[in-house]
């Protein structure tokens, strides 16, 4: 089967579940130079993934890394260097066949050219600092995915990267190491781009938290759910959502005092300020303070800060 046919299967399945971005970031470059650097060919479905989605995150959890761009998070050197931490400890004596032994106890390194020992190469990460790798060795399009947890545990999935992602977002791939998609949420992909982060601390108003959230989302409509959590007594919690047309990411924090957190493209700064402050007024509240995401108070909405970064 041709590389393009192998790649299309998993990537097209994923694209039916998760709409690709119109303008993927860090999605193109010199593939020949990348493969020369690692000493071999990369799986065809990974190349298709990078060209289709670029640098970004699936469902605020799984991060797709690319070998291109200037970000310190990307580049083939980073994908290789991130595996310098200790591997899970192998038993003193191997009792499994060699191929099975490599699967049970993969070595954290980059692939050598030819059909050498199976080693690991990173293609993604998670928000919990887990690493998504290939167990290299043999034909690249047959490399299985290894989930390498931040605690040093690992598990092998006999799927390519695209099929693994499609299975995870679709709820068909189970993992003892990764979190599951929140039930009833439609999967999504966020392209990494420069964003400004602001947090608004609000005064108490006449409405309960659930009503404040409804007013806020109505004022910024249309919006889509991005997950939520609440304490058992319902007193504390957060609702995450995003605007459909403007790509603003918001969290309504029902703590006391309640807060609105927002991340938005820098060029939208004034429009965000106007719409958000108008929404707060409709909620019957006042903005007591504006801070960065890290909680640093700001003298003005547009004040530049070191906390504003790509996210």
């Amino acid at each position: 089967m041709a590389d393009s046919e192998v790649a299309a299967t998993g990537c097209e399945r994923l694209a039916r579940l998760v709409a690709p971005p119109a303008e993927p970031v860090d999605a193109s470059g010199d593939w020949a130079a990348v493969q020369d650097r690692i000493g071999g060919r990369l799986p065809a479905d990974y190349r298709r993934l990078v060209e289709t989605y670029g640098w970004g995150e699936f469902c605020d959890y799984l991060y797709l890394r690319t070998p291109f761009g200037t970000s310190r998070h990307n580049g083939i050197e980073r994908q290789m260097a991130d595996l310098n931490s200790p591997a899970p400890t192998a038993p003193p004596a191997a009792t499994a066949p060699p191929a099975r032994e490599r699967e049970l106890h993969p070595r954290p390194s980059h692939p050598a050219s030819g059909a050498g020992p199976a080693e690991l190469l990173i293609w993604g990460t998670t928000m919990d600092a887990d690493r998504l790798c290939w167990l290299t060795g043999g034909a690249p399009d047959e490399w299985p995915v290894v989930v390498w947890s931040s605690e040093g545990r690992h598990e092998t999935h006999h799927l390519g990267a695209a099929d693994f992602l499609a299975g995870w977002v679709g709820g068909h791939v189970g993992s003892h190491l990764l979190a599951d998609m929140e039930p009833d949420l439609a999967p999504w992909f966020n392209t990494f781009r420069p964003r400004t982060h602001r947090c608004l601390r609000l005064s108490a108003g006449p409405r309960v938290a659930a009503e404040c959230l409804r007013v806020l989302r109505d004022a910024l409509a249309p919006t889509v759910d991005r997950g939520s959590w609440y304490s058992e007594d319902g007193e504390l919690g957060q609702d995450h959502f995003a605007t459909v047309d403007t790509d603003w990411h918001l969290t309504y924090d029902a703590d006391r005092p309640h807060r609105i957190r927002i991340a938005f493209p820098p060029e939208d700064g004034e429009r965000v300020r106007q719409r958000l402050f108008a929404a707060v007024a409709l909620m019957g509240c006042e903005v007591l303070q504006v801070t960065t995401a890290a909680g640093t108070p700001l003298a003005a909405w547009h004040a530049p800060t070191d906390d504003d970064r790509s996210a």
Side-chain angles (χ1 to χ4, degrees), residues 1-8 30-48 67 76 79-80 110-116 119-123 134-144:
M1 184 178 292
D3 284 355
S4 60
E5 294 174 335
V6 173
D30 189 342
W31 284 102
V34 170
Q35 295 180 150
D36 284 347
R37 177 66 184 87
I38 67 170
R41 185 171 66 83
L42 288 168
D45 73 330
Y46 174 68
R47 178 167 177 165
R48 183 75 174 272
I76 196 63
Q79 290 174 263
M80 293 158 58
H110 60 85
S113 58
E119 299 174 326
L120 295 180
L121 179 65
I122 291 176
W123 58 266
W134 291 292
L135 181 61
T136 68
D141 292 325
E142 297 177 3
W143 291 350

Side-chain angles (χ1 to χ4, degrees), residues 24-274:
V25 172
D26 292 348
S28 61
D30 189 342
W31 284 102
V34 170
Q35 295 180 150
D36 284 347
R37 177 66 184 87
I38 67 170
R41 185 171 66 83
L42 288 168
D45 73 330
Y46 174 68
R47 178 167 177 165
R48 183 75 174 272
L49 272 175
V50 168
E51 293 171 345
T52 302
Y53 288 93
W55 180 31
E57 60 186 9
F58 290 89
C59 309
D60 293 344
Y61 185 68
L62 297 185
Y63 304 156
L64 178 63
R65 304 298 187 185
T66 91
F68 307 122
T70 59
S71 168
R72 62 185 178 86
H73 299 290
N74 286 331
I76 196 63
E77 300 294 340
R78 176 64 183 264
Q79 290 174 263
M80 293 158 58
D82 273 357
L83 280 167
N84 287 333
S85 60
T89 303
T95 57
R100 178 60 174 160
E101 187 62 29
R102 289 196 296 270
E103 177 182 325
L104 292 173
H105 307 289
R107 293 188 291 163
S109 184
H110 60 85
S113 58
E119 299 174 326
L120 295 180
L121 179 65
I122 291 176
W123 58 266
T125 53
T126 76
M127 68 174 297
D128 295 325
D130 309 308
R131 289 159 290 183
L132 308 177
C133 315
W134 291 292
L135 181 61
T136 68
D141 292 325
E142 297 177 3
W143 291 350
V145 168
V146 172
V147 178
W148 192 293
S149 81
S150 57
E151 299 173 343
R153 296 181 295 156
H154 68 278
E155 62 187 19
T156 302
H157 298 263
H158 290 277
L159 299 166
D163 278 326
F164 177 83
L165 287 171
W168 183 83
V169 301
H172 305 303
V173 168
S175 171
H176 297 294
L177 302 179
L178 301 180
D180 295 325
M181 272 285 293
E182 189 171 324
D184 303 323
L185 274 185
W188 69 93
F189 181 83
N190 290 330
T191 294
F192 279 114
R193 59 189 296 187
R195 293 186 187 275
T196 297
H197 298 255
R198 293 292 181 265
C199 177
L200 278 62
R201 186 166 65 91
L202 308 181
S203 67
R207 303 176 187 271
V208 297
E211 184 65 10
C212 285
L213 174 63
R214 183 193 64 78
V215 171
L216 175 63
R217 292 190 63 162
D218 284 349
L220 300 177
T223 64
V224 290
D225 291 336
R226 291 292 187 255
S228 63
W229 72 267
Y230 278 87
S231 59
E232 291 185 4
D233 59 11
E235 292 294 318
L236 303 176
Q238 292 181 334
D239 275 273
H240 310 287
F241 61 98
T243 58
V244 172
D245 300 326
T246 54
D247 195 28
W248 303 345
H249 301 169
L250 295 101
T251 295
Y252 174 69
D253 192 332
D255 202 350
R256 296 189 183 92
H258 54 162
R259 296 174 173 85
I260 300 171
R261 307 177 191 275
I262 186 167
F264 54 89
E267 62 271 20
D268 289 351
E270 180 57 24
R271 184 158 56 129
V272 170
R273 187 191 67 81
Q274 292 179 7

